[in-house]
Amino acid sequence: MKIIYVVGARPNFMKVAPIMREASKHKELEQILVHTGQHYDKNMSKCFFEELGICEPDINLEVGSGHHGEQTGKIMQKFEEFMLKEGGNLVVVVGDVNSTIACGLVAAKLHIPLAHVEAGLRSFDRRMPEEINRLLTDTISDYLFTPAEEANKNLKNEGIPEEKIFLVGDIMIDTLLWEMERTPHINKPPLPELDNNNYAALTLHRPSNVDDPEIFKGILNALDEIANKIPIIFPAHPRTINRMKEFQFYPKSKNIKIIEPLSYREFLRLYKNSKFVLTDSGSIQQETTFLNIPCLTIRENTERPFTITKGTNVLTGTDPKRITEEAFKILEGETKQSEGLPLWDGKTAKRIVNVFREL
Ligand code: UD1
């Protein structure tokens, strides 16, 4: 059986890696890796292949950045050309980025079975581009691999037949466990000047947070206030740096240190040894819950509500007052404890590959 895997943006690489590693144990599974080129900077793409132990992509479609229609359209055009030449028995897409829906649509229209890993997550906020990508990809997928029971419920509510849905657990945890064993100095922060438990780690790149000057300014003000009490380390996404330059907003506090985006292992060391995390990313909400690290999510909603009900995650929204209040609570020792989640055991890739082998 010939399986075509698609990656495009930073959060995709760690989801594909454990599945490809597991499938490589079975000779009957031929594997082809396609990189759409949605992310192209070394720190947003190449370093992950080196660290996660995945082979270099068989092809890079080199689509690069662009508005949603332009980027999605270019990926579709190039992936269709590739698939018409290459063929395949199964296309595997992961997560919720533009590459996920673009390649999913191509597979569905060519009548090639489509598998979606991390299916069923919903923020119920259609202003988020990722929510549109999630909804549409799940509608056209033949095999939907879900990380948690809530995701199964969402899919059933949308009328997806039960026989297409496979509750397999969270694939990010496979990568986290695998990399924790292989990361040198895992119990130390990646920058020599940092002390364990004595800084906060920050990621911020959602269009809804950084593209609106008022909201972005409010968040930066809150961060300045938090930084009066604890240093904040901020590996900044290129989108956020571009917006800072465009709006001429920069954090005022010298206690906020902006650095280049980090590799998977360096970032793991950064959040694992931090006092708490401030983020608007998706997967980091799960990783911090798994490691029992307090996480403040600077968003109005989340597609991973189980990290709130069972984990360490707190939604702050974008109100600067609320963000600072929640951070101060953590500094005063008021933190949530994670209960852990079923099937977050590092065996998700094995469960997925078992399904592939039965096809
Ligand atoms: C994408 C995903 C988002 C994910 C994020 C992780 C979509 C709709 N969004 O957002 O869900 O959380 O990746 O990083 O797919 N840029 C560079 N170099 C790069 C990549 C991007 O400079 O290698 C800059 C460009 O200015 C580009 C902007 O970042 O225009 C946005 O990139 P894009 O791929 O459109 O979406 P992300 O914001 O990265």
Side-chain angles (χ1 to χ4, degrees):
M1 181 164 84
K2 185 165 173 179
I3 308 177
I4 313 288
Y5 298 87
V6 174
V7 290
R10 181 169 60 176
N12 295 158
F13 309 126
M14 32 297 219
K15 293 171 192 167
V16 152
I19 308 174
M20 290 192 78
R21 256 196 324 269
E22 181 64 31
S24 69
K25 295 178 190 161
H26 304 283
K27 288 218 169 60
E28 73 277 17
L29 303 179
E30 184 192 349
Q31 312 200 78
I32 305 279
L33 180 61
V34 177
H35 189 338
T36 64
Q38 177 174 345
H39 283 174
Y40 43 88
D41 286 359
K42 183 169 193 298
N43 292 347
M44 298 295 286
S45 175
K46 194 166 171 38
C47 64
F48 297 99
F49 286 88
E50 289 158 9
E51 262 187 7
L52 295 166
I54 25 177
C55 57
E56 285 290 313
D58 294 278
I59 180 162
N60 190 322
L61 304 178
E62 294 181 348
V63 292
S65 301
H67 291 294
H68 287 272
E70 181 191 3
Q71 188 178 55
T72 310
K74 273 192 198 159
I75 300 171
M76 284 185 70
Q77 190 183 352
K78 294 204 167 178
F79 186 63
E80 186 181 55
E81 275 168 27
F82 173 79
M83 287 305 295
L84 286 172
K85 267 193 255 145
E86 185 72 35
N89 308 103
L90 180 70
V91 169
V92 179
V93 295
V94 297
D96 55 16
V97 302
N98 285 344
S99 300
T100 310
I101 178 61
C103 296
L105 268 173
V106 169
K109 294 208 169 196
L110 291 176
H111 306 156
I112 299 171
L114 176 66
H116 183 208
V117 176
E118 211 180 58
L121 297 183
R122 297 288 181 268
S123 66
F124 302 101
D125 175 3
R126 291 197 184 189
R127 288 166 310 164
M128 268 183 96
E130 294 81 3
E131 182 75 353
I132 306 293
N133 295 343
R134 287 188 282 262
L135 276 161
L136 298 183
T137 306
D138 285 340
T139 305
I140 56 174
S141 290
D142 303 284
Y143 305 98
L144 296 100
F145 295 105
T146 57
E149 191 53 56
E150 280 94 331
N152 284 45
K153 279 192 204 132
N154 293 337
L155 294 173
K156 282 176 206 161
N157 288 343
E158 287 165 20
I160 308 272
E162 238 169 283
E163 60 272 18
K164 290 186 174 182
I165 307 170
F166 301 84
L167 177 61
V168 289
D170 191 340
I171 195 68
M172 293 295 287
I173 305 303
D174 285 33
T175 299
L176 185 55
L177 289 170
W178 203 79
E179 293 292 330
M180 272 172 61
E181 281 178 19
R182 287 160 182 81
T183 300
H185 314 297
I186 178 83
N187 292 321
K188 281 192 190 148
L191 307 177
E193 67 272 26
L194 296 177
D195 293 326
N196 284 35
N197 247 341
N198 221 347
Y199 64 91
L202 165 71
T203 76
L204 189 73
H205 73 280
R206 291 264 156 233
S208 54
N209 281 342
V210 302
D211 289 1
D212 180 318
E214 278 313 301
I215 293 177
F216 191 22
K217 197 173 195 172
I219 296 173
L220 287 181
N221 289 342
L223 295 171
D224 276 327
E225 226 179 291
I226 298 166
N228 284 332
K229 304 210 175 190
I230 187 165
I232 298 178
I233 311 303
F234 181 16
H237 186 291
R239 171 193 281 279
T240 312
I241 295 290
N242 291 345
R243 293 299 171 267
M244 282 181 180
K245 287 182 189 152
E246 186 184 329
F247 303 143
Q248 286 294 303
F249 294 160
Y250 297 95
K252 293 188 196 76
S253 170
K254 294 220 161 42
N255 237 359
I256 300 180
K257 186 170 170 133
I258 300 180
I259 56 176
E260 295 271 312
L262 296 175
S263 71
Y264 183 90
R265 287 183 183 175
E266 285 177 317
F267 187 63
L268 167 58
R269 286 172 62 198
L270 185 75
Y271 68 80
K272 184 171 184 299
N273 298 302
S274 69
K275 179 89 179 163
F276 66 98
V277 170
L278 292 143
T279 190
D280 59 4
S281 298
S283 317
I284 298 167
Q285 298 169 54
Q286 285 162 231
E287 291 161 333
T288 46
T289 273
F290 187 77
L291 294 175
N292 205 24
I293 295 160
C295 177
L296 300 181
T297 299
I298 308 175
R299 283 171 45 185
E300 304 298 341
N301 51 49
T302 175
E303 62 288 345
R304 293 159 163 95
F306 40 84
T307 59
I308 298 175
T309 51
K310 301 211 165 106
T312 57
N313 194 12
V314 174
L315 278 187
T316 65
T318 54
D319 174 17
K321 195 161 164 276
R322 178 88 205 282
I323 301 171
T324 19
E325 270 170 15
E326 291 296 338
F328 291 169
K329 275 192 208 165
I330 294 173
L331 292 175
E332 281 153 21
E334 204 181 307
T335 53
K336 291 170 76 182
Q337 292 300 310
S338 180
E339 287 173 29
L341 270 111
L343 300 181
W344 285 22
D345 57 2
K347 294 183 184 138
T348 293
K350 202 171 172 50
R351 287 186 278 268
I352 293 173
V353 171
N354 282 344
V355 176
F356 290 172
R357 294 183 68 208
E358 282 171 20
L359 297 184

